[in-house]
Amino acid sequence: MDYQAVLDEVAAYARPYAGQGEVADYIPALERVSPDRFGIALVDIGGAVYGAGDWETPFSVQSISKAFSLALVMAHAHDDDIWSRVGREPSGTPFNSLVQLEWENGIPRNPFINAGALVVTDRLQTLTGDASTTMLHFLREESGNEDLAFDQAVADSEADHGNRNAALAHFMASFGNLENPVPSVIEHYFWQCSIEMSCRDLATAGGFLARHGLRADGTRLLEAREAKRINAVMLTCGTYDAAGEFAYRVGLPAKSGVGGGILAVVPGRCTLCVWSPGLDRRGNSVAGAAALDHFTTLTGWSVF
Ligand code: GLU
């Protein structure tokens, strides 16, 4: 497969969609990004890297970090009982919804809605003593980019407008489903979401998901069954409450973020990351979803 030719064709197809949708503005610092950016990167399981468009421009990873925090909890405590504290079913409600938590006694539906991600960050904080720094160091190592950093303006902006996330955390604490103080959990969560990475960085860092748990250097981060489980939860819950639509169009495990990025995995072959800041009403990048749709159409590499 001539990956570069495929990416060039995918980029040409998706570029007209860049600029469609709305840039997230509920975190004011995210609004500064120009909506018409578009980039795509592909890293094969041997580590060869390809890209098109703005594939080396850093953006705010936001919820894509949730896939990595789940992986880190599994890597730090294989067979952790995290699944007694968070489910693994699609939510069908918005990513920051409070109502479902009330019905389900403070146990979030899955680790990729905000409530579930707060539980995972809480667990990582207990396991490591510093969840967000652990995540930053991990992403530097897996991406090979030592310059990765938190974006303080984004983290501060999110904290300034973080009442809903604080509410989710307090609500779960009231059910006994947090191990650490609420202010510490939400602070680490905001920091992990604020990390800036490019498509190249993210596709490289996520390689262990395509290699059934192996890092680029051949050492094992996760058991194969753990990587399988993360990919499964990405497929069913990784693109907000549009995971069904995304499976229908793209058919790959993926995790999106409100910064406009989507990390996607073709198990056994490669990882992809697309970025374009315009979001559809569910919160997924319009041009990013179009690009991945076209990618699996061209290659036939949907998992279905
Ligand atoms: N930090 C964002 C929030 O909690 C993440 C949202 C997202 O990317 O889904 O609202």
Side-chain angles (χ1 to χ4, degrees), residues 26-27 30 61-64 66 95-96 112 114 158 165 189-190 193-194 240 255-259 283:
Y26 76 101
I27 303 170
L30 291 180
V61 303
Q62 292 298 314
S63 277
I64 300 174
K66 294 171 182 172
F95 67 100
N96 54 7
F112 294 156
N114 283 12
E158 188 156 359
N165 283 319
Y189 171 76
F190 293 151
C193 289
S194 82
Y240 305 113
K255 183 72 205 87
S256 54
V258 294

Side-chain angles (χ1 to χ4, degrees), residues 95-111:
F95 67 100
N96 54 7
S97 168
L98 275 156
V99 284
Q100 202 160 30
L101 265 185
E102 168 101 61
W103 296 330
E104 295 177 353
N105 301 320
I107 307 291
R109 267 291 170 99
N110 68 66

Side-chain angles (χ1 to χ4, degrees), residues 161-176:
H161 296 81
N163 287 332
R164 182 169 282 261
N165 283 319
L168 290 167
H170 280 292
F171 202 50
M172 288 189 293
S174 78
F175 283 100

Side-chain angles (χ1 to χ4, degrees), residues 122-187:
D122 175 56
R123 188 67 192 136
L124 191 59
Q125 177 68 11
T126 301
L127 290 168
T128 66
D130 189 341
S132 53
T133 305
T134 300
M135 161 103 52
L136 181 64
H137 289 161
F138 172 74
L139 291 173
R140 283 180 180 162
E141 201 167 318
E142 296 306 309
S143 67
N145 183 353
E146 276 303 308
D147 295 333
L148 295 187
F150 301 117
D151 182 330
Q152 174 133 24
V154 169
D156 289 349
S157 181
E158 188 156 359
D160 289 345
H161 296 81
N163 287 332
R164 182 169 282 261
N165 283 319
L168 290 167
H170 280 292
F171 202 50
M172 288 189 293
S174 78
F175 283 100
N177 197 14
L178 285 187
E179 296 168 339
N180 296 279
V182 167
S184 155
V185 174
I186 57 176
E187 187 185 345

